[in-house]
Amino acid sequence: PEREGMLFHRGPGLNLTSGQYTAPIAGYYAFSTTLHIVRGEPQRKGQGCRGSRLRVLICVQSRCQHNSNLETVSRLESSGDLFTISVTGTLYLQAGQYASVFVDNMAGSPLTVQSGSYFSAVLLGV
């Protein structure tokens, strides 16, 4: 990092603009993300009661509905609170394939991802 509070990244695979990690070579990669999230008030009355769950996924090629993803689901208890949700696991990527983080908000209220959240990928082996 060049200054305090700046994100650390190394290697050509991470694109901070798109939020994608592109595999430079085929292999097994360890992925991890931790999101610090604040849940706002429901937009409409009664909306926050149904489906107050949040899914966070790390998907290959944006194909979250296929089996090439990592996923966790969390129940949201109350609005206005800061909470943390994490996903960690191993995925195989071909050279040139990318992985990225998706948030599926089933809570019905706005969510804000806070600073200090991160996404990482490490090549384990080919």
Side-chain angles (χ1 to χ4, degrees), residues 10 32 57 60 65 72 81 87 94 99 106 113 116 124:
R10 181 188 313 182
S32 181
L57 304 98
V60 176
Q65 67 276 16
T72 191
D81 291 334
V87 180
Q94 296 289 341
M106 298 179 281
V113 177
L124 297 176

Side-chain angles (χ1 to χ4, degrees), residues 15-88:
N15 182 325
L16 295 175
T17 303
S18 68
Q20 298 174 343
Y21 176 80
T22 303
I25 63 171
Y28 291 94
Y29 290 82
F31 287 96
S32 181
T33 188
T34 296
L35 303 179
H36 305 291
I37 297 175
V38 173
R39 179 179 177 197
E41 294 297 324
Q43 294 175 344
R44 284 179 258 148
K45 253 191 173 173
Q47 196 174 13
C49 297
R50 65 173 175 79
S52 59
R53 294 181 305 151
L54 177 70
R55 279 189 339 151
V56 174
L57 304 98
I58 300 174
C59 303
V60 176
Q61 299 292 112
S62 299
R63 295 184 181 135
C64 294
Q65 67 276 16
H66 295 86
N67 290 331
S68 44
N69 67 59
L70 305 169
E71 174 181 348
T72 191
V73 178
S74 180
R75 182 166 179 78
L76 306 177
E77 296 301 326
S78 61
S79 61
D81 291 334
L82 175 67
F83 65 96
T84 301
I85 186 168
S86 298
V87 180
T88 302

Side-chain angles (χ1 to χ4, degrees), residues 70-125:
L70 305 169
E71 174 181 348
T72 191
V73 178
S74 180
R75 182 166 179 78
L76 306 177
E77 296 301 326
S78 61
S79 61
D81 291 334
L82 175 67
F83 65 96
T84 301
I85 186 168
S86 298
V87 180
T88 302
T90 304
L91 293 170
Y92 184 84
L93 272 68
Q94 296 289 341
Q97 284 188 317
Y98 67 87
S100 50
V101 176
F102 289 86
V103 177
D104 183 7
N105 179 5
M106 298 179 281
S109 58
L111 300 175
T112 303
V113 177
Q114 301 292 299
S115 62
S117 299
Y118 72 87
F119 171 53
S120 67
V122 176
L123 175 63
L124 297 176

